[in-house]
Each structure stands twice: as C-alpha cells, then as structure tokens.
C-alpha cells in the first residue's frame, strides 16, 4: 500500500510507530522500499555521506533534484521526502515555494522537509498553500551548525526547551504534517510529542516520538568518519562490503574470477576464421 501524509495522520491517531530511512540512489531506495518503511528521506545529509563534505551547507538544489529523481524511481510504496537544501528557502517565501515545487515536479518527491521554527513559518504556510506537504525539522538542525557552534544537543536549558516547544507548535499551526526532532533530550521530545497532533519523527530524541529516522549508512555501519551517540548499528554492512571487495580483488589477481562460467561462448568455426 502506498504511504502518504494520511498514513502519518493515521499513525499518530492509532499509535503506530512510523519508520523513515534516508536513501540517495535508486538501488538503495529499492532495497529500503521493499522492506516496508513508511518514508524514504532524500536528506541533505547526502552532502556528508555521499558527497564527502564536512557538513550539509554545500548541498545545492541541483544535487537534491538529481538524487531525489533516482530515489523516486526506486520507491514504490514509501513516501518520498526531499530535503530543501541550505539557502533554497531561507532567502524568501518566493524562493521557498519555487524550490519546493522543483523538488516535486523535477525530483518526483511527494513532500518536502525544511529546517527551522519561527523564522520559517511564512515559508511553510506558503508551500502548504501551494498544495505541497511540508515536514518540519527542529532541534539540531544541521544547516544551522555555524550558529550552534558545532553539532550539539539542543534544548537543554529552560529557555531553549521552551523555545523548541513554541517552535513545534508554530510549525504545526503553519500546516506541517509531521516534524523531525533531532538530537534533543528525550523528556523534551516526549512533551513535544504529547502537545502536537501531528507525528514527531525522532533522531537522537529518545523512545517517545511517534516515529524514527536514521541515515542508512549509520544504521548499517557503512560510514566511518564519525558515529553519533544516537546511532545503533543494526547490521555491519560495511564489513560485508569490505570482505566482498577484498575477495573480488584476490580472485581477479589469482585468476579464479572470471571463469568461463561467467562468459559467453562462440562457435569454433567462427573463431577459426578469425586467425
Ligand atoms: O538530512 C538528513 O538525513 C536529515 C535526517 C538526519 C533527519 O535531515
């Protein structure tokens, strides 16, 4: 069954936990989709895990459209969520609607995600008015890494915690259908989740959110630059890839691959005429 914003609404009302994982290309999107996640996020985390940048700030609209297209081709039943990259919506409400529209029209996403609270309310309203569903994103919003002074847990003091609750309510009121809560204390995430009528999707926000998202390279141990505390390794795919590639190198070097079994025959009559 195709997931949609209605799936998210229903999950909140009946208490079913929502699942979301990132993907950035066709084959991974197919694998993840086949497993039955509710949503695939084409996150701007692709800047770090796929393109090798130190943060997400260099990711462009062209990058996002390129990767979203590939994921959308591979996702049959998951809801495809495309991240709005840095400077694609902060600059103006017009830019926000225009670029959200490009992610839907050119990228093939069903919904967009953007970071921020009070400062992006007009953008969220305008995108929703343009009939594009919006997923909010609060807490450790990576596009604000320079304002935060690094990738740090957010909402730890009273003022910051209150601000996060207010922001969440504003994002909901502006029309968002769900909100990602990243790297905030789990008791704060629980309060926000209780106060909202739309689902919260946690990442480093504890067990009380309505759903969970992870970057797939983190969950499958395929990214070795760093590992955030909130990441659980569900499978050591990195080790499997290492072993497989080393075996490939060995077999090519020692001549055990490829054998005739992996090739194509031709009749000897033809071969005789080639000498
Ligand atoms: O870009 C991303 O992958 C994200 C998730 C970490 C929520 O925004």
């Amino acid at each position: 069954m195709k997931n949609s914003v209605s799936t998210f609404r229903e999950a909140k009302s009946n208490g079913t936990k929502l699942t979301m994982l990132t993907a950035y290309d066709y084959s991974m999107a197919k694998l993840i989709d086949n497993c039955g996640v509710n949503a695939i996020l084409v996150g701007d985390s692709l800047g770090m895990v796929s393109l090798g940048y130190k943060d997400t700030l260099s990711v462009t609209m062209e990058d996002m459209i390129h990767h979203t297209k590939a994921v959308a081709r591979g996702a049959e039943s998951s809801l495809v969520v495309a991240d709005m990259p840095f400077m694609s919506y902060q600059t103006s409400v017009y830019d926000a609607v225009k670029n959200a529209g490009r992610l839907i029209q050119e990228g093939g996403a069903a919904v967009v995600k953007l970071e921020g609270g009070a400062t992006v309310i007009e953008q969220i309203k305008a995108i929703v008015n343009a009939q594009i569903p919006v997923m909010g994103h609060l807490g450790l919003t990576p596009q604000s890494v320079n304002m935060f002074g690094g990738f740090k847990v957010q909402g730890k003091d009273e003022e910051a915690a209150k601000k996060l609750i207010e922001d969440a309510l504003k994002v909901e009121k502006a029309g968002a259908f769900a909100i990602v809560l990243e790297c905030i204390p789990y008791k704060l995430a629980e309060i926000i989740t209780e106060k909202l009528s739309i689902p919260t999707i946690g990442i480093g926000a504890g067990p009380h959110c309505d759903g969970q998202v992870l970057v797939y390279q983190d969950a499958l141990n395929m990214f070795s630059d760093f590992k955030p505390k909130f990441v659980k390794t569900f499978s050591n795919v990195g080790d499997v890839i290492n072993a497989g590639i080393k075996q490939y190198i060995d077999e090519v070097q020692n001549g055990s691959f490829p054998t005739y079994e992996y090739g194509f025959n031709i009749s000897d009559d033809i071969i005789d005429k080639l000498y």
Side-chain angles (χ1 to χ4, degrees), residues 22 24 41 43-45 83 113 115 137 180 182 203 213 215:
T22 64
Y24 315 100
L41 169 64
D44 60 356
S45 51
D83 251 344
K113 175 167 85 57
E115 298 180 7
H137 186 163
V180 168
E182 180 163 356
I203 173 164
V213 56
V215 170

Side-chain angles (χ1 to χ4, degrees), residues 21 31 80 112 165:
L21 268 177
L31 280 170
V80 177
V112 298
I165 295 171

Side-chain angles (χ1 to χ4, degrees), residues 151-200:
F151 294 101
K152 296 174 183 165
V153 180
Q154 300 297 305
K156 281 174 84 177
D157 61 44
E158 186 183 334
E159 191 189 346
K162 279 187 175 156
K163 169 90 170 58
L164 271 175
I165 295 171
E166 280 162 22
D167 275 347
L169 290 166
K170 283 179 186 158
V171 169
E172 171 177 66
K173 196 162 171 230
F177 75 96
I179 303 184
V180 168
L181 298 177
E182 180 163 356
C183 235
I184 64 170
Y186 47 82
K187 286 187 180 163
L188 175 58
E190 184 176 16
I191 294 172
I192 294 174
T193 301
E194 276 168 10
K195 283 185 182 284
L196 296 186
S197 58
I198 56 172
T200 58

Side-chain angles (χ1 to χ4, degrees), residues 3-12 18 20 38-39 79-82 110-114 124 128 132-137 168 171-180 196-201 210:
N3 285 274
S4 67
V5 291
S6 308
T7 317
F8 277 63
R9 275 187 213 113
E10 283 156 23
K12 178 85 182 184
L18 290 158
M20 179 159 83
N38 295 114
L79 182 73
V80 177
V81 184
V111 314
V112 298
K113 175 167 85 57
L114 58 84
I124 295 176
V128 173
I132 298 171
V134 173
M135 182 179 279
H137 186 163
V171 169
E172 171 177 66
K173 196 162 171 230
F177 75 96
I179 303 184
V180 168
L196 296 186
S197 58
I198 56 172
T200 58
I201 311 295
D210 299 303

Side-chain angles (χ1 to χ4, degrees), residues 241-275:
I241 291 176
N242 259 326
I245 292 174
K246 280 184 184 147
Q247 186 179 340
Y248 165 76
I249 293 170
D250 281 351
E251 290 193 20
V252 170
Q253 286 177 340
N254 68 27
S256 55
F257 177 80
T259 52
Y260 293 139
E261 188 190 349
Y262 297 98
F264 307 95
N265 206 351
I266 185 172
S267 94
D268 287 343
D269 291 350
I270 296 176
I271 292 296
D272 288 345
K273 288 183 190 140
L274 301 178
Y275 284 105

